[in-house]
Amino acid sequence: MAPGMTYKAAGVDIALKESLIPLFGSIAKTTAGAHVIGGVGGFGALVGLNAARKMRAPVLVAGTDSVGTKLMIAFETGRHDSIGIDCVAMCVNDIICHGARPLFFLDYIGSGKLEKRIALDIVKGVARGCVQAAVSLVGGETAQLSGLYKPGEYDLAGFAVGLVERARIPKPSDVRAGDVLIGVASSGLHSNGFSLVRRVLLEHAKLKLGSRIAELGCTLGEELLRPTLIYARVVVELFERFKLNGLANITGGGVLENLPRVMPANTRAILERGSWPTPPIFDMIQRLGKIRRAEMDRTFNNGLGMVAIVPARAADRTVAHLRRRGYGAYVVGEVRRGKRGVSIR
């Protein structure tokens, strides 16, 4: 009698997925904090809220995001070892803007056909990101979705949860005219604007990912896969030691869209162009794509990964602390009265 149809023949290899679970568990253990009760392998991750016992009014802060079309650079180069860092960064860098200390992280990998080596590389990258953020990788999902993705492609998303004392959550009303804007340097593109990046550099300029670009000091692929910086540890220190009236993660939409999210209606951010260094990748994209300055400003971070809003009296000490921790930090402008928004002069 001929054998009947199987799930594996339809594109879903359950045995392979089961063999990966203990490997994922071993990787996740390298990130586990004392608050993790049960992680990879169960129906749900178990995380104790030990830190909440010391708080009067603890608040959970959650964020979720994906890596976006930066993944297509990983597909084309065959490099999947750092893309997990981006996934952690995209989630964690959001929740720390609310003063939260990150607690745990979960990931989601969806693929047409599960490839063991690629899956392990991705999760190892996620774990490295979790270590950088001082957050525990407690679980996730690896979905085999036959027919939904092209061969060699996958999607990667994450979910982060942190904890903050209610009274310490920064509010837009805390921001005042006269406050100083401190820009914290990005490592480059981070994980935003890649639809335009690919259109300009790969489709229009016909550049090759393996080509070494003199002005970048590396291959194009290496530059585009440069991981997003994770600011969690230093931001936790800033909230503990200094007065931060606001903090914005500069992701898609650039400074123009992200900074106003932490400001009240009667204030305007005035940034001085040239007060911070711009990584050469941005000038290269603008030149080759003949992109208007306004379009660059509302698409990319242009060298600013975070912008903190602090009282003028705390600006110098905040910049000094960031620099001691190895981050580029610059006074980039100030808050004035006016219609909520951003002007870059």
Side-chain angles (χ1 to χ4, degrees):
M1 182 177 179
M5 294 183 180
T6 65
Y7 208 11
K8 183 175 182 179
V12 180
D13 191 336
I14 296 177
L16 174 58
K17 181 176 180 178
E18 289 181 342
S19 72
L20 285 170
I21 291 175
L23 298 177
F24 290 159
S26 297
I27 295 170
K29 283 182 180 179
T30 65
T31 73
H35 53 281
V36 177
I37 300 170
V40 177
F43 287 107
L46 306 178
V47 180
L49 296 179
N50 302 337
R53 299 172 186 170
K54 302 176 182 179
M55 297 181 175
R56 289 179 176 271
V59 175
L60 291 172
V61 183
T64 185
D65 209 337
S66 69
V67 180
T69 58
K70 184 173 183 175
L71 289 177
M72 298 182 74
I73 308 301
F75 303 157
E76 293 184 42
T77 60
R79 284 188 50 191
H80 310 276
D81 57 339
S82 64
I83 209 77
I85 299 174
D86 292 290
C87 187
V88 176
M90 294 299 288
C91 300
V92 167
N93 286 346
D94 275 348
I95 67 172
I96 60 176
C97 291
H98 297 280
R101 179 186 294 271
L103 290 179
F104 61 88
F105 185 84
L106 298 98
D107 60 31
Y108 169 86
I109 305 170
S111 64
K113 180 181 179 182
L114 187 62
E115 300 285 348
K116 181 177 181 179
R117 178 189 65 81
I118 293 176
L120 287 174
D121 280 350
I122 294 170
V123 176
K124 287 176 182 177
V126 170
R128 285 198 298 273
C130 287
V131 170
Q132 292 178 25
V135 64
S136 299
L137 175 59
V138 296
E141 172 65 13
T142 305
Q144 300 177 71
L145 308 171
S146 179
L148 185 59
Y149 296 94
K150 296 178 182 178
E153 293 187 357
Y154 57 84
D155 198 10
L156 176 62
F159 180 87
V161 173
L163 190 65
V164 63
E165 179 71 70
R166 182 186 293 270
R168 299 187 67 179
I169 300 173
K171 303 180 294 296
S173 59
D174 295 333
V175 175
R176 298 283 190 273
D179 284 351
V180 171
L181 304 174
I182 296 175
V184 189
S186 69
S187 60
L189 290 165
H190 283 182
S191 296
N192 300 106
F194 272 80
S195 294
L196 182 56
V197 169
R198 291 184 297 103
R199 175 69 62 87
V200 170
L201 301 183
L202 304 183
E203 298 176 21
H204 175 70
K206 307 294 184 184
L207 298 179
K208 303 299 181 184
L209 292 171
S211 298
R212 183 172 180 81
I213 309 297
E215 63 186 291
L216 302 179
C218 61
T219 68
L220 180 61
E222 288 169 340
E223 179 65 38
L224 299 188
L225 284 176
R226 194 181 299 278
T228 305
L229 284 182
I230 294 176
Y231 301 93
R233 290 177 184 265
V234 74
V235 164
V236 167
E237 293 177 354
L238 291 180
F239 273 109
E240 290 177 346
R241 302 184 183 200
F242 305 102
K243 172 62 174 173
L244 266 65
N245 290 337
L247 181 66
N249 182 21
I250 309 304
T251 56
V255 173
L256 297 182
E257 291 190 11
N258 288 287
L259 190 51
R261 295 165 66 179
V262 298
M263 297 172 58
N266 62 341
T267 58
R268 190 166 188 85
I270 309 297
L271 275 73
E272 299 294 336
R273 201 182 302 278
S275 60
W276 71 92
T278 302
I281 183 63
F282 296 105
D283 294 331
M284 181 178 170
I285 292 168
Q286 183 177 15
R287 183 181 71 253
L288 293 177
K290 298 179 180 179
I291 302 172
R292 292 179 304 157
R293 183 74 261 175
E295 185 69 14
M296 293 292 296
D297 289 338
R298 69 178 185 181
T299 304
F300 301 110
N301 68 63
N302 293 316
L304 296 178
M306 288 268 177
V307 175
I309 306 175
V310 304
R313 65 181 181 277
D316 289 344
R317 291 182 293 116
T318 304
V319 168
H321 184 82
L322 285 161
R323 290 178 177 175
R324 283 196 300 270
R325 292 294 184 267
Y327 291 88
Y330 315 91
V331 172
V332 298
E334 65 178 354
V335 177
R336 297 181 184 176
R337 295 187 184 279
K339 181 180 179 181
R340 182 170 59 188
V342 177
S343 297
I344 307 179
R345 306 188 306 187

